[in-house]
Amino acid sequence: MTAIYDRIGVDYAALRRPDRRIAAQINAALGPARTVLNVGAGAGSYEPVDRELVALEPSSAMIAQRSVRAAPCVGGRAEALPFRDDAFDAIMAVLTVHHWDDQVAGLSELRRVSRGSVVILTFDPAFRGFWLTDYLPGLIALDEAQMPPLDTYESMLGPVEITPVPVPHDCTDGFLCAYWRRPEFYLDPQVRQGSSSFWALGEISKEMERLRRDLADGGWERRYGALRKLDALDCGYRLVRTV
């Protein structure tokens, strides 16, 4: 796997601050596990501090952004984990599977090194309904190309429990759908820099200008203003946990 975040991960730690509510859901899914491997660990988001944790990350730029207090981090790829069979009580992988060159091999490796649960935060490519795709329809094709269908997880990991992960209206983690109730944030190039999807889409200035006009003349509010009343929204994020 090419370490894509060597290119796009600049200032990632500042743009992608873990959200405490999502963190609680991930931590609960890890159950009683004491030893945990975080695959595709990045700058360390969502790593629980009350467990014995090892991180694995292919990007040197991301490793450099890890706190001096963060768990030890090993350079490596999900498809070839440098650990023995059943080395950890549990494995976690947060919004990373879509970056793997070989998702089937990576999932097989997660299963191999875990003697307990595998917990994965991912996105359902079959999900429809997020308003941003009305402005950026290319997101749908991108998700379908990058994200494995949800049934892939059971076929590779065995029985799984799949749970929606609602996105809070004030989510502190700047992933793609984090600003569903704050549409003006998508106009900020620095905010967009925190999501790999925007990097993959390339030039979107015309689409963002359309969003800017709709926010200015009330068009966005007329179509999507009801979202302002919601505290959280299902945007397609799913927590996969082996059972």
Side-chain angles (χ1 to χ4, degrees):
M1 176 174 64
T2 55
I4 186 173
Y5 282 95
D6 282 345
R7 180 169 57 90
I8 73 174
V10 178
D11 204 30
Y12 193 84
L15 295 169
R16 297 291 298 272
R17 294 175 292 116
D19 186 272
R20 59 179 175 79
R21 292 147 294 192
I22 297 174
Q25 195 167 347
I26 294 171
N27 197 43
L30 289 170
R34 297 307 308 163
T35 59
V36 178
L37 172 66
N38 184 18
V39 175
S45 292
Y46 301 107
E47 292 179 355
V49 298
D50 58 346
R51 306 173 194 256
E52 183 181 336
L53 190 138
V54 175
L56 180 133
E57 168 60 40
S59 166
S60 57
M62 297 303 291
I63 293 173
Q65 294 181 60
R66 294 178 64 85
S67 165
V68 295
R69 298 181 298 277
C73 187
V74 176
R77 303 162 56 244
E79 298 93 332
L81 296 176
F83 306 103
R84 61 175 172 78
D85 293 0
D86 300 326
F88 299 91
D89 292 336
I91 312 296
M92 60 183 287
V94 177
L95 297 178
T96 181
V97 175
H98 56 294
H99 291 308
W100 300 351
D101 288 339
D102 188 334
Q103 295 168 347
V104 169
L107 292 172
S108 179
E109 280 288 87
L110 265 59
R111 181 67 284 175
R112 178 183 68 81
V113 303
S114 176
R115 54 180 171 263
S117 294
V118 175
V119 176
I120 299 171
L121 179 60
T122 187
F123 182 85
D124 179 2
F127 181 84
R128 297 292 183 272
F130 181 42
W131 64 263
L132 188 59
T133 61
D134 294 343
Y135 293 89
L136 298 169
L139 286 172
I140 295 175
L142 183 64
D143 289 337
E144 291 177 342
Q146 291 186 333
M147 299 287 184
L150 292 186
D151 59 9
T152 302
Y153 296 101
E154 186 160 57
S155 67
M156 293 307 303
L157 300 174
V160 296
E161 176 184 76
I162 300 178
T163 308
V165 180
V167 182
H169 73 93
D170 55 352
C171 183
T172 59
D173 189 345
F175 51 72
L176 178 64
C177 300
Y179 306 104
W180 60 268
R181 211 180 85 171
R182 297 167 288 175
E184 59 280 354
F185 277 63
Y186 291 109
L187 301 176
D188 185 340
Q190 184 177 11
V191 167
R192 298 199 301 269
Q193 184 175 305
S195 169
S196 62
S197 295
F198 286 111
W199 288 82
L201 286 174
E203 177 57 46
I204 56 169
S205 57
K206 292 182 179 178
E207 291 85 348
M208 291 298 95
E209 180 56 32
R210 179 187 162 209
L211 175 58
R212 187 187 307 277
R213 290 196 305 269
D214 282 356
L215 288 171
D217 66 15
W220 187 94
E221 203 70 34
R222 287 190 293 273
R223 287 191 293 275
Y224 314 111
L227 295 175
R228 303 277 196 189
K229 300 177 182 179
L230 302 180
D231 291 329
L233 185 69
D234 181 2
C235 295
Y237 295 94
R238 299 291 182 263
L239 195 64
V240 178
R241 177 182 179 272
T242 56
V243 295

